[in-house]
Amino acid sequence: MSKKTTEYVCQNCGAVYPRWQGKCDACGEWNTIVEEKIGGEGFSNLKPKQKGKMIDFVPLEGAAEKLERLSTNIKELDRVCGGGLVPGSVILVGGDPGIGKSTLLLQACAKVAELPSKPEVFYISGEEAIDQVRIRAKRLGLEKAPVNLASATDIRDIVATLEKSNANVVIIDSIQTMYLEDVESTPGSVTQVRACSYELIKLAKRKGFTLFVVGHVTKQGSIAGPRVLEHMVDTVLYFEGERGHHFRILRAVKNRFGATDEIGVFEMQDKGLVEVENPSALFLAERQGNISGSCVFAGIEGSRPVLVEIQALVSPTGYASPKRAVVGWDSNRLAMILAVLEARCGMNLSSQDVYLNIAGGLRITEPAADLAVAMAVISSMTNKPLPHDMVIFGEIGLSGEVRAVTQPSLRLKEAQKLGFASCIIPPSYTKDKKTSLNTDMSVYEIGNVQRLINWFN
Ligand code: TYD
Ligand code: MG
């Protein structure tokens, strides 16, 4: 029997098929399956009849090696990484093209290279020529930093070079431009991305350097060659932001060495990315007073509180089926809240278009924003503004009840710091003496959405 030399791989999710088909059964995408040569994957080269060695088992308890983290001097980046860079760890940085990944990593590696302990830093660009990176470094005022810069795409050369170095931090920009000659598919294909990453990760673990890998995001919103890569690395960071806004959010979606959902906030300026110490103040900076349909949500992103303005606009529809448009939040969640308002409170929204916007370009995923969204919709519908100094949080259930959310006192503390004087929150906190809210604000506890409407009218 002749040995199979090709397989068919979905470029979106990495599923493998013995023959071509139009639609990927695993992820449901059309026209993503491409023929690729087998081999060069590292994992599959194991000879079947080799005898294995015995492995040692140990008890769960034991002295763990203390992680000596390397601080990057960029506080927002350190926090997202769980408090600094762990030697031998691999960090995947994903994001849309042009969002600022190269800028962030160039700034980070320059800062690291300038540390007093003089770490060896290597920046390998497969996308830009040396001159382009130099021009950027000059623009950022970093041209004096002792960074080792190269423009290369052949993984074998890169591995051979790094093998001989004493690297502490290595940046590969981007993994989609890298290739291994033994693998016959084109750079950027799932097989190449997987094979190149495997070689780099193996080296990083062996030599003990921190490896940053840049990965572009496909139009579906996942890093190309995505799931395959995400489980190979220790940390996955997404760099997000709206094109029209200056804010950029670095979000940890997976972290073996720290908390996930941690965010770092940056502002893109003409001299590169600048850390934002107080994101709430920034997100609320452009808030107008006395406008209906706007309210402030006290949220938590990772370990820190963030206040954001939620805006809703409800207007009579001109379409047969009313329009719902959402920026920065989950559209299914909005549909659910509108359904609750209709079914439990008798609001008529079926002849109204509803637009929802999280001001400032932040994406919120917390259900704790439900109550604030409902409030914004009610305020816009009745054309009545909320008190300017009020924050809101709480989750809404399908029967219209308002449910408790985590860390109420942290949310209120941040609100108070920024000058807010009153809040609408779920009930049950003050009854329970243990979760004392510890706040001087006026507190309105509201148990269901109907009561919210009554209170507001
Ligand atoms: P870049 O880091 O090249 O994005 P990525 O690597 O994610 O593709 O970001 C480039 C964008 O950032 C570009 O549109 C210009 C902008 N920019 C600034 O606004 N200020 C700066 O100082 C720099 C270097 C870039
Ligand atoms: Mg780039």
Side-chain angles (χ1 to χ4, degrees):
M1 204 177 83
S2 70
K3 197 165 173 292
K4 254 179 59 192
T5 54
T6 59
E7 60 190 7
Y8 294 82
V9 183
C10 171
Q11 302 296 304
N12 183 47
C13 72
V16 180
Y17 298 93
R19 63 188 70 81
W20 190 85
Q21 56 191 61
K23 184 182 174 189
C24 173
D25 298 332
C27 65
E29 286 296 317
W30 286 90
N31 284 333
T32 53
I33 295 175
V34 168
E35 181 175 3
E36 291 189 358
K37 290 265 188 310
I38 293 177
E41 278 198 23
F43 314 107
S44 54
N45 294 341
L46 213 62
K47 296 192 187 77
K49 289 225 173 91
Q50 263 174 355
K51 249 197 178 165
K53 277 192 309 224
M54 288 292 162
I55 54 170
D56 292 332
F57 289 94
V58 293
L60 283 176
E61 197 187 10
E65 246 180 84
K66 196 168 175 302
L67 294 175
E68 280 294 337
R69 291 178 189 257
L70 184 68
S71 161
T72 59
N73 253 344
I74 301 181
K75 263 195 262 151
E76 298 291 304
L77 178 60
D78 281 353
R79 188 194 16 253
V80 176
C81 294
L85 309 180
V86 176
S89 71
V90 182
I91 301 166
L92 174 65
V93 181
D96 292 331
I99 205 78
K101 302 180 293 295
S102 305
T103 308
L104 175 72
L105 292 178
L106 188 61
Q107 284 181 251
C109 72
K111 285 263 173 118
V112 171
E114 281 169 345
L115 289 175
S117 57
K118 297 211 167 47
E120 282 274 323
V121 179
F122 292 80
Y123 186 100
I124 300 169
S125 177
E127 298 203 329
E128 290 161 308
I130 303 246
D131 281 342
Q132 280 175 293
V133 182
R134 281 187 173 156
I135 291 169
R136 179 185 312 221
K138 189 148 201 258
R139 178 171 167 187
L140 299 171
L142 301 170
E143 70 274 28
K144 296 277 187 305
V147 173
N148 301 295
L149 171 67
S151 175
T153 51
D154 188 336
I155 287 290
R156 193 176 300 175
D157 298 347
I158 294 172
V159 168
T161 314
L162 292 176
E163 187 81 68
K164 293 225 156 54
S165 73
N166 287 321
N168 295 101
V169 176
V170 175
I171 288 155
I172 300 287
D173 188 5
S174 67
I175 194 67
Q176 275 98 354
T177 55
M178 300 292 150
Y179 73 94
L180 258 176
E181 220 162 88
D182 321 342
V183 181
E184 282 185 38
S185 24
T186 50
S189 67
V190 171
T191 315
Q192 277 287 7
V193 165
R194 188 161 42 183
C196 294
S197 313
Y198 180 72
E199 292 302 325
L200 289 167
I201 292 169
K202 219 167 49 178
L203 183 72
K205 301 279 171 206
R206 194 168 67 239
K207 300 279 292 178
F209 59 75
T210 305
L211 173 67
F212 281 96
V213 178
V214 173
H216 289 298
V217 161
T218 62
K219 63 180 187 304
Q220 290 84 14
S222 48
I223 297 171
R227 285 158 216 171
V228 253
L229 255 191
E230 288 189 0
H231 79 245
M232 288 165 81
V233 301
D234 300 306
T235 302
V236 179
L237 308 180
Y238 274 96
F239 207 31
E240 327 169 320
E242 297 285 327
R243 274 297 171 97
H245 289 288
H246 303 148
F247 316 129
R248 298 285 181 268
I249 309 226
L250 188 65
R251 188 187 294 277
V253 293
K254 160 180 173 178
N255 196 350
R256 288 190 185 142
F257 303 107
T260 49
D261 278 332
E262 199 65 80
I263 63 165
V265 184
F266 296 89
E267 192 177 349
M268 183 62 100
Q269 295 183 354
D270 55 351
K271 282 232 171 343
L273 291 156
V274 179
E275 295 174 69
V276 175
E277 300 255 324
N278 189 341
S280 303
L282 188 79
F283 290 133
L284 297 179
E286 287 170 47
R287 194 160 71 109
Q288 315 273 323
N290 234 13
I291 289 193
S292 66
S294 151
C295 71
V296 177
F297 164 56
I300 301 268
E301 291 286 344
S303 62
R304 73 170 153 178
V306 178
L307 302 192
V308 279
E309 181 189 357
I310 293 185
Q311 301 173 326
L313 180 65
V314 180
S315 70
T317 185
Y319 306 95
S321 60
K323 205 169 157 55
R324 273 85 175 95
V326 187
V327 179
W329 209 48
D330 182 7
S331 51
N332 290 329
R333 200 90 203 163
L334 175 68
M336 188 199 93
I337 286 171
L338 297 181
V340 169
L341 288 174
E342 288 209 294
R344 307 288 174 194
C345 313
M347 277 174 77
N348 181 13
L349 291 159
S350 56
S351 57
Q352 308 281 340
D353 290 337
V354 178
Y355 302 90
L356 186 78
N357 178 34
I358 311 297
L362 186 70
R363 260 204 77 80
I364 301 183
T365 48
E366 262 193 302
D370 291 354
L371 197 59
V373 169
M375 190 74 256
V377 170
I378 295 166
S379 160
S380 174
M381 184 89 179
T382 53
N383 203 11
K384 212 173 119 183
L386 270 134
H388 193 66
D389 60 355
M390 172 171 265
V391 295
I392 304 181
F393 60 84
E395 184 179 341
I396 296 178
L398 284 183
S399 61
E401 84 278 18
V402 177
R403 298 165 167 233
V405 299
T406 55
Q407 314 199 41
S409 36
L410 188 61
R411 297 172 197 262
L412 294 181
K413 206 168 123 200
E414 173 82 357
Q416 208 172 345
K417 203 167 79 189
L418 287 157
F420 287 85
S422 59
C423 60
I424 300 180
I425 64 170
S428 82
Y429 287 125
T430 41
K431 269 181 236 138
D432 183 357
K433 292 274 185 303
K434 277 186 209 141
T435 54
S436 135
L437 289 171
N438 199 6
T439 180
D440 302 332
M441 298 167 80
S442 337
V443 177
Y444 300 92
E445 294 189 334
I446 295 212
N448 66 51
V449 188
Q450 182 62 56
R451 255 183 248 144
L452 181 70
I453 296 179
N454 297 343
W455 173 86
F456 189 57
N457 292 326

